Amino acid sequence: MPIVVDIDVLLTRRKMSVGELAERVGITPANLAVLKNGRAKAVRFTTLAALCEVLDCQPGDLLRWEPESLANEATAAGRHL
């Protein structure tokens, strides 16, 4: 998918665990993992707003678009950009 979610970058900067973020946002760790690992098909604006509030960021800090060819290359290589 050409939309990349950069939660890992912000978690590292905030020195926060996935479990802590999930608890503070009010979603399950499993659902956060789906979003974090690029397997989500959609995200609710309320969830995006909660992530931004907890991580003290803008939506653009969490989401970015990558051309389909780059996203496919990253997936084929076993990693996410």
Side-chain angles (χ1 to χ4, degrees):
M1 176 172 282
I3 301 297
V4 179
V5 183
D6 288 324
I7 290 176
D8 285 335
V9 173
L10 291 166
L11 283 174
T12 300
R13 289 182 187 161
R14 305 301 190 270
K15 297 179 181 170
M16 188 182 300
S17 70
V18 173
E20 180 183 353
L21 179 61
E23 183 178 324
R24 291 178 62 184
V25 169
I27 61 176
T28 66
N31 283 341
L32 183 58
V34 167
L35 183 61
K36 186 174 87 67
N37 295 324
R39 295 188 316 263
K41 300 291 183 203
V43 61
R44 293 177 190 251
F45 282 144
T46 53
T47 302
L48 183 58
L51 286 166
C52 289
E53 182 177 349
V54 170
L55 293 170
D56 188 30
C57 67
Q58 294 295 313
D61 297 329
L62 288 170
L63 305 174
R64 64 187 160 88
W65 176 82
E66 296 241 337
E68 190 72 39
S69 60
L70 285 178
N72 287 339
E73 288 173 20
T75 301
R79 59 178 169 56
H80 294 281
L81 296 175

